[in-house]
Structures are given as C-alpha cells and as structure tokens.
Amino acid sequence: MQPEPADERNVLGGPLQTCGIDPVTGFYRDGHCTSGPEDLGSHTVCAVVSADFLVMQRDLGNDLSTPRPEYGFPGLKPGDRWCVVAVRWLQAYQAGAAAGVVLAATNARALEIVPIEALRQHAVDVPDDISGLA
C-alpha cells in the first residue's frame, strides 16, 4: 500500500515536500520520495543530479541517463530532481561525486542510511534556521 506524502516526514522533521514532477519522480511516481514496504531500495534522497553523479551511477550499473520509455522513464539530465536510492547517494558522497540534496523533500527514512551531516553538506535548500535541529 502506497503511503501518503502527507504522512511522511522529511529529514528536517517537517512534512515531506515534492521532489520533482518534471520528470515525475518517486518510487510510486507521485513526485515525492515516499517509501513503503515495496521500496526495497529506499528511494528516499531527493537529489538534484549532476553530470558527475550521473556518470558515477552509470558506472555502478545504475544508468539514470538513458531514456527507458517502456518504464515511462525519460532519462535524467543534470539539474533534474530525482528520488535516488539512499545507499547509491551515500556511495557517490563517499567518492566525492554527491548530488545536491533538497532536504525538505528528502524522506526522514534516508537517515537510517545516510548521516544528516552528509546531507546538509550538499543541501540546496538551506532553511532559515537549522540551529535547533538534530
């Protein structure tokens, strides 16, 4: 059963915001990085993909650039927002090729895999006051 985005929290503790609708992202293709029991990969990090990130993903066997019309997937280009697998984002971070992160649209479940400090280092939506957050 697909979770409702309104019931999901982001890594800042607020309601999960939309990650991307052009192209439509999310494991459930609802524009949000919602995650449920069917999402074994934990597509929970809302990334703003870069050329380096896309090349690294392709080299790891996760080609996000090539269109796959049979799956309704247009292929990503630098600057697109996409809900990526938390482990894949962490691998890119550790290799120095992390994509930008939209914290307000990144599911709190990503914190089970990725440290908040790593996400914050690549945040592209810095809130006005993050001093009170863990």
Side-chain angles (χ1 to χ4, degrees):
M1 181 174 177
Q2 178 178 342
E4 288 295 320
D7 296 334
E8 302 269 303
R9 307 308 287 172
N10 65 37
V11 295
L12 301 173
L16 187 64
Q17 301 297 309
T18 301
C19 180
I21 55 169
D22 185 22
V24 177
T25 190
F27 179 79
Y28 297 103
R29 293 298 189 266
D30 63 358
H32 295 84
C33 297
T34 51
S35 184
E38 307 89 354
D39 180 16
L40 301 179
S42 187
H43 294 76
T44 51
V45 176
C46 181
V48 180
V49 299
S50 64
D52 287 346
F53 181 82
L54 291 171
V55 167
M56 181 182 185
Q57 293 304 300
R58 186 187 66 226
D59 291 348
L60 290 170
N62 184 30
D63 184 357
L64 298 173
S65 303
T66 302
R68 298 291 303 267
E70 66 272 28
Y71 299 113
F73 180 67
L76 301 180
K77 60 189 181 315
D80 284 343
R81 289 179 171 206
W82 197 251
C83 295
V84 299
V85 172
V87 168
R88 294 286 195 185
W89 187 90
L90 184 60
Q91 286 174 314
Y93 170 78
Q94 291 168 337
V101 176
V102 182
L103 298 174
T106 295
N107 195 309
R109 290 188 181 137
L111 298 176
E112 296 168 8
I113 298 164
V114 182
I116 187 67
E117 297 79 21
L119 295 170
R120 282 196 178 138
Q121 286 175 18
H122 294 278
V124 294
D125 65 332
V126 180
D128 291 337
D129 180 15
I130 60 172
S131 61
L133 298 173

PDB file of all heavy atoms in Angstrom, residues 27-44:
ATOM      1  N   PHE A  27       9.487   6.481  -5.960  1.00  0.00           N
ATOM      2  CA  PHE A  27       9.268   5.056  -6.167  1.00  0.00           C
ATOM      3  C   PHE A  27       7.848   4.805  -6.664  1.00  0.00           C
ATOM      4  O   PHE A  27       7.617   3.950  -7.506  1.00  0.00           O
ATOM      5  CB  PHE A  27       9.529   4.291  -4.858  1.00  0.00           C
ATOM      6  CG  PHE A  27       9.314   2.821  -4.982  1.00  0.00           C
ATOM      7  CD1 PHE A  27      10.273   2.007  -5.559  1.00  0.00           C
ATOM      8  CD2 PHE A  27       8.141   2.241  -4.519  1.00  0.00           C
ATOM      9  CE1 PHE A  27      10.075   0.645  -5.687  1.00  0.00           C
ATOM     10  CE2 PHE A  27       7.934   0.874  -4.636  1.00  0.00           C
ATOM     11  CZ  PHE A  27       8.902   0.076  -5.226  1.00  0.00           C
ATOM     12  N   TYR A  28       6.898   5.587  -6.142  1.00  0.00           N
ATOM     13  CA  TYR A  28       5.496   5.429  -6.528  1.00  0.00           C
ATOM     14  C   TYR A  28       5.101   6.371  -7.661  1.00  0.00           C
ATOM     15  O   TYR A  28       3.926   6.471  -7.998  1.00  0.00           O
ATOM     16  CB  TYR A  28       4.593   5.654  -5.317  1.00  0.00           C
ATOM     17  CG  TYR A  28       4.819   4.634  -4.219  1.00  0.00           C
ATOM     18  CD1 TYR A  28       5.550   4.965  -3.093  1.00  0.00           C
ATOM     19  CD2 TYR A  28       4.309   3.348  -4.329  1.00  0.00           C
ATOM     20  CE1 TYR A  28       5.768   4.031  -2.086  1.00  0.00           C
ATOM     21  CE2 TYR A  28       4.524   2.407  -3.334  1.00  0.00           C
ATOM     22  CZ  TYR A  28       5.250   2.757  -2.217  1.00  0.00           C
ATOM     23  OH  TYR A  28       5.469   1.833  -1.228  1.00  0.00           O
ATOM     24  N   ARG A  29       6.073   7.109  -8.212  1.00  0.00           N
ATOM     25  CA  ARG A  29       5.839   8.079  -9.288  1.00  0.00           C
ATOM     26  C   ARG A  29       4.719   9.052  -8.916  1.00  0.00           C
ATOM     27  O   ARG A  29       3.797   9.288  -9.670  1.00  0.00           O
ATOM     28  CB  ARG A  29       5.543   7.394 -10.621  1.00  0.00           C
ATOM     29  CG  ARG A  29       6.701   6.621 -11.208  1.00  0.00           C
ATOM     30  CD  ARG A  29       7.892   7.524 -11.511  1.00  0.00           C
ATOM     31  NE  ARG A  29       8.925   6.846 -12.269  1.00  0.00           N
ATOM     32  CZ  ARG A  29       9.983   6.248 -11.732  1.00  0.00           C
ATOM     33  NH1 ARG A  29      10.144   6.240 -10.418  1.00  0.00           N
ATOM     34  NH2 ARG A  29      10.886   5.663 -12.494  1.00  0.00           N
ATOM     35  N   ASP A  30       4.878   9.608  -7.702  1.00  0.00           N
ATOM     36  CA  ASP A  30       3.911  10.603  -7.231  1.00  0.00           C
ATOM     37  C   ASP A  30       4.565  11.960  -6.993  1.00  0.00           C
ATOM     38  O   ASP A  30       3.955  12.857  -6.433  1.00  0.00           O
ATOM     39  CB  ASP A  30       3.214  10.110  -5.958  1.00  0.00           C
ATOM     40  CG  ASP A  30       4.172   9.915  -4.790  1.00  0.00           C
ATOM     41  OD1 ASP A  30       5.391  10.129  -4.955  1.00  0.00           O
ATOM     42  OD2 ASP A  30       3.695   9.539  -3.701  1.00  0.00           O
ATOM     43  N   GLY A  31       5.846  12.085  -7.392  1.00  0.00           N
ATOM     44  CA  GLY A  31       6.557  13.336  -7.214  1.00  0.00           C
ATOM     45  C   GLY A  31       7.242  13.476  -5.862  1.00  0.00           C
ATOM     46  O   GLY A  31       7.960  14.432  -5.621  1.00  0.00           O
ATOM     47  N   HIS A  32       7.032  12.518  -4.974  1.00  0.00           N
ATOM     48  CA  HIS A  32       7.576  12.564  -3.614  1.00  0.00           C
ATOM     49  C   HIS A  32       8.504  11.374  -3.364  1.00  0.00           C
ATOM     50  O   HIS A  32       8.333  10.320  -3.957  1.00  0.00           O
ATOM     51  CB  HIS A  32       6.448  12.517  -2.574  1.00  0.00           C
ATOM     52  CG  HIS A  32       5.560  13.694  -2.619  1.00  0.00           C
ATOM     53  ND1 HIS A  32       4.504  13.799  -3.489  1.00  0.00           N
ATOM     54  CD2 HIS A  32       5.577  14.845  -1.902  1.00  0.00           C
ATOM     55  CE1 HIS A  32       3.907  14.955  -3.301  1.00  0.00           C
ATOM     56  NE2 HIS A  32       4.532  15.613  -2.348  1.00  0.00           N
ATOM     57  N   CYS A  33       9.429  11.555  -2.438  1.00  0.00           N
ATOM     58  CA  CYS A  33      10.323  10.461  -2.031  1.00  0.00           C
ATOM     59  C   CYS A  33       9.674   9.643  -0.915  1.00  0.00           C
ATOM     60  O   CYS A  33      10.282   9.395   0.128  1.00  0.00           O
ATOM     61  CB  CYS A  33      11.683  11.017  -1.612  1.00  0.00           C
ATOM     62  SG  CYS A  33      12.574  11.839  -2.941  1.00  0.00           S
ATOM     63  N   THR A  34       8.423   9.248  -1.140  1.00  0.00           N
ATOM     64  CA  THR A  34       7.730   8.383  -0.195  1.00  0.00           C
ATOM     65  C   THR A  34       8.343   6.988  -0.281  1.00  0.00           C
ATOM     66  O   THR A  34       8.897   6.605  -1.309  1.00  0.00           O
ATOM     67  CB  THR A  34       6.213   8.315  -0.494  1.00  0.00           C
ATOM     68  OG1 THR A  34       6.038   8.007  -1.877  1.00  0.00           O
ATOM     69  CG2 THR A  34       5.524   9.613  -0.172  1.00  0.00           C
ATOM     70  N   SER A  35       8.244   6.243   0.795  1.00  0.00           N
ATOM     71  CA  SER A  35       8.834   4.918   0.831  1.00  0.00           C
ATOM     72  C   SER A  35       7.937   3.994   1.628  1.00  0.00           C
ATOM     73  O   SER A  35       7.480   4.347   2.708  1.00  0.00           O
ATOM     74  CB  SER A  35      10.227   4.980   1.476  1.00  0.00           C
ATOM     75  OG  SER A  35      10.846   3.732   1.440  1.00  0.00           O
ATOM     76  N   GLY A  36       7.683   2.845   1.064  1.00  0.00           N
ATOM     77  CA  GLY A  36       6.860   1.846   1.731  1.00  0.00           C
ATOM     78  C   GLY A  36       7.535   0.492   1.644  1.00  0.00           C
ATOM     79  O   GLY A  36       8.678   0.381   1.191  1.00  0.00           O
ATOM     80  N   PRO A  37       6.844  -0.550   2.071  1.00  0.00           N
ATOM     81  CA  PRO A  37       7.443  -1.882   2.121  1.00  0.00           C
ATOM     82  C   PRO A  37       7.912  -2.401   0.761  1.00  0.00           C
ATOM     83  O   PRO A  37       8.848  -3.189   0.683  1.00  0.00           O
ATOM     84  CB  PRO A  37       6.338  -2.773   2.694  1.00  0.00           C
ATOM     85  CG  PRO A  37       5.125  -1.933   2.829  1.00  0.00           C
ATOM     86  CD  PRO A  37       5.495  -0.507   2.574  1.00  0.00           C
ATOM     87  N   GLU A  38       7.289  -1.938  -0.332  1.00  0.00           N
ATOM     88  CA  GLU A  38       7.692  -2.397  -1.659  1.00  0.00           C
ATOM     89  C   GLU A  38       9.002  -1.753  -2.116  1.00  0.00           C
ATOM     90  O   GLU A  38       9.662  -2.252  -3.012  1.00  0.00           O
ATOM     91  CB  GLU A  38       6.618  -2.065  -2.708  1.00  0.00           C
ATOM     92  CG  GLU A  38       5.232  -2.551  -2.384  1.00  0.00           C
ATOM     93  CD  GLU A  38       4.411  -1.554  -1.568  1.00  0.00           C
ATOM     94  OE1 GLU A  38       4.932  -0.508  -1.138  1.00  0.00           O
ATOM     95  OE2 GLU A  38       3.222  -1.840  -1.362  1.00  0.00           O
ATOM     96  N   ASP A  39       9.362  -0.634  -1.515  1.00  0.00           N
ATOM     97  CA  ASP A  39      10.550   0.127  -1.913  1.00  0.00           C
ATOM     98  C   ASP A  39      11.790  -0.435  -1.229  1.00  0.00           C
ATOM     99  O   ASP A  39      12.318   0.138  -0.281  1.00  0.00           O
ATOM    100  CB  ASP A  39      10.357   1.612  -1.575  1.00  0.00           C
ATOM    101  CG  ASP A  39      11.544   2.473  -1.967  1.00  0.00           C
ATOM    102  OD1 ASP A  39      12.394   2.007  -2.769  1.00  0.00           O
ATOM    103  OD2 ASP A  39      11.624   3.615  -1.481  1.00  0.00           O
ATOM    104  N   LEU A  40      12.260  -1.554  -1.733  1.00  0.00           N
ATOM    105  CA  LEU A  40      13.391  -2.233  -1.106  1.00  0.00           C
ATOM    106  C   LEU A  40      14.682  -1.421  -1.199  1.00  0.00           C
ATOM    107  O   LEU A  40      15.569  -1.566  -0.381  1.00  0.00           O
ATOM    108  CB  LEU A  40      13.589  -3.615  -1.732  1.00  0.00           C
ATOM    109  CG  LEU A  40      12.377  -4.550  -1.627  1.00  0.00           C
ATOM    110  CD1 LEU A  40      12.661  -5.883  -2.297  1.00  0.00           C
ATOM    111  CD2 LEU A  40      11.961  -4.742  -0.178  1.00  0.00           C
ATOM    112  N   GLY A  41      14.787  -0.544  -2.200  1.00  0.00           N
ATOM    113  CA  GLY A  41      15.996   0.249  -2.374  1.00  0.00           C
ATOM    114  C   GLY A  41      16.036   1.517  -1.557  1.00  0.00           C
ATOM    115  O   GLY A  41      17.056   2.172  -1.493  1.00  0.00           O
ATOM    116  N   SER A  42      14.933   1.907  -0.936  1.00  0.00           N
ATOM    117  CA  SER A  42      14.849   3.141  -0.163  1.00  0.00           C
ATOM    118  C   SER A  42      15.163   4.357  -1.030  1.00  0.00           C
ATOM    119  O   SER A  42      16.178   5.027  -0.872  1.00  0.00           O
ATOM    120  CB  SER A  42      15.772   3.093   1.063  1.00  0.00           C
ATOM    121  OG  SER A  42      15.553   4.223   1.885  1.00  0.00           O
ATOM    122  N   HIS A  43      14.262   4.646  -1.967  1.00  0.00           N
ATOM    123  CA  HIS A  43      14.374   5.809  -2.862  1.00  0.00           C
ATOM    124  C   HIS A  43      13.944   7.053  -2.087  1.00  0.00           C
ATOM    125  O   HIS A  43      12.865   7.596  -2.302  1.00  0.00           O
ATOM    126  CB  HIS A  43      13.480   5.614  -4.090  1.00  0.00           C
ATOM    127  CG  HIS A  43      13.904   4.505  -4.986  1.00  0.00           C
ATOM    128  ND1 HIS A  43      13.688   3.182  -4.681  1.00  0.00           N
ATOM    129  CD2 HIS A  43      14.540   4.528  -6.177  1.00  0.00           C
ATOM    130  CE1 HIS A  43      14.164   2.423  -5.662  1.00  0.00           C
ATOM    131  NE2 HIS A  43      14.685   3.217  -6.583  1.00  0.00           N
ATOM    132  N   THR A  44      14.792   7.484  -1.157  1.00  0.00           N
ATOM    133  CA  THR A  44      14.376   8.482  -0.173  1.00  0.00           C
ATOM    134  C   THR A  44      15.146   9.794  -0.225  1.00  0.00           C
ATOM    135  O   THR A  44      14.772  10.743   0.462  1.00  0.00           O
ATOM    136  CB  THR A  44      14.497   7.890   1.237  1.00  0.00           C
ATOM    137  OG1 THR A  44      15.810   7.333   1.399  1.00  0.00           O
ATOM    138  CG2 THR A  44      13.459   6.801   1.479  1.00  0.00           C
TER     139      THR A  44
END
